[in-house]
Amino acid sequence: MLKPLFGDGRIRQVAEALYGRAVEQARDPEFYRSCGVPDTVDGRFDMIAIHVFLLLRRLKRAGDTPGPLAQALFDTMFDDMDRLLREMGAGDLGVGRRVKNMAQAFSGRIAAYESGLDGADGILEAAVLRNVFRGGGAPHEAAAALARYIRHQTATLGRQPLEEIAAGRVAFTDAAVGLNGEPPQQV
């Protein structure tokens, strides 16, 4: 089903489109205003990480076929992190180490969010509190709202045709809707 997409050299272009949508959604002011996500480099990284995680999870659930796209999406994210660190003035020697640390942190978040989505109630909220809010400073309600959002988007992405996602077209629902726990609308 996806072979024509992957065979024509467009995989990087599709990964960049998906990453662009993830970043756009992660920048929604609702996360920072009403949910209390820190509007810092770390907070923004965490929101991008959540959205890329959601896309990677959707691709993973489709089986092995989208594996190259998932890898290209991961690579696109960390190429962007490298570029951003350099723009922020990080020296060449430190960028590689910092990107490696970010990739390890992202891998840990993937494992925590996967366990949270697949596990008992409260696990995802604890993962959000630990990662996004660094274990404190935020009320449990903020972590619970963000966990509801993650569940909401998981359901929304799960209903989107893989062909659309593999073409670089993904539709996240409005952040306020997901944070408030409203049922996902039909796609």
Side-chain angles (χ1 to χ4, degrees), residues 125-140:
E125 290 82 351
V128 167
L129 189 62
R130 182 175 61 251
N131 290 302
V132 177
F133 299 105
R134 303 297 190 262
H140 178 73

Side-chain angles (χ1 to χ4, degrees), residues 31 47 50-51 53-54 57-58 112-129 140-160 172-175 177-185:
F31 297 118
M47 293 311 301
I50 285 171
H51 289 88
F53 157 74
L54 289 164
R57 180 179 168 95
R58 173 62 176 100
Y113 298 148
E114 284 284 355
S115 294
L117 284 169
D118 296 337
D121 287 344
I123 295 175
L124 183 57
E125 290 82 351
V128 167
L129 189 62
H140 178 73
E141 295 80 30
L146 199 48
R148 278 193 305 274
Y149 174 83
I150 292 169
R151 287 187 189 94
H152 180 91
Q153 293 298 356
T154 298
T156 298
L157 293 173
R159 286 190 314 279
Q160 292 180 35
F172 292 104
T173 55
D174 185 74
V177 172
L179 288 169
N180 291 318
E182 296 176 30
Q185 296 176 355

Side-chain angles (χ1 to χ4, degrees), residues 5-6 10-26 48 51-56 58-59 66 68-74 76-77 157 160-172:
L5 171 69
F6 296 146
R10 289 191 47 235
I11 191 167
R12 182 65 180 208
Q13 187 178 8
V14 171
E16 288 173 356
L18 291 175
Y19 180 71
R21 280 291 296 126
V23 170
E24 180 184 342
Q25 186 74 9
I48 292 169
H51 289 88
V52 171
F53 157 74
L54 289 164
L55 291 169
L56 291 173
R58 173 62 176 100
L59 292 170
L69 179 55
Q71 184 62 53
L73 178 57
F74 179 89
T76 299
M77 177 181 177
L157 293 173
Q160 292 180 35
L162 183 60
E163 296 83 6
E164 288 294 307
I165 295 170
R169 295 183 294 270
V170 63
F172 292 104

Side-chain angles (χ1 to χ4, degrees), residues 19 23 27 41 44-45 48 76-90 95 98-99 102:
Y19 180 71
V23 170
R27 290 181 176 163
V41 171
R44 288 176 179 259
F45 169 78
I48 292 169
T76 299
M77 177 181 177
F78 286 97
D79 287 349
D80 188 47
M81 294 297 136
D82 182 284
R83 181 187 61 78
L84 290 171
L85 287 170
R86 290 176 193 282
E87 284 179 4
M88 291 171 37
V95 169
R98 291 176 75 180
V99 170
M102 293 170 87

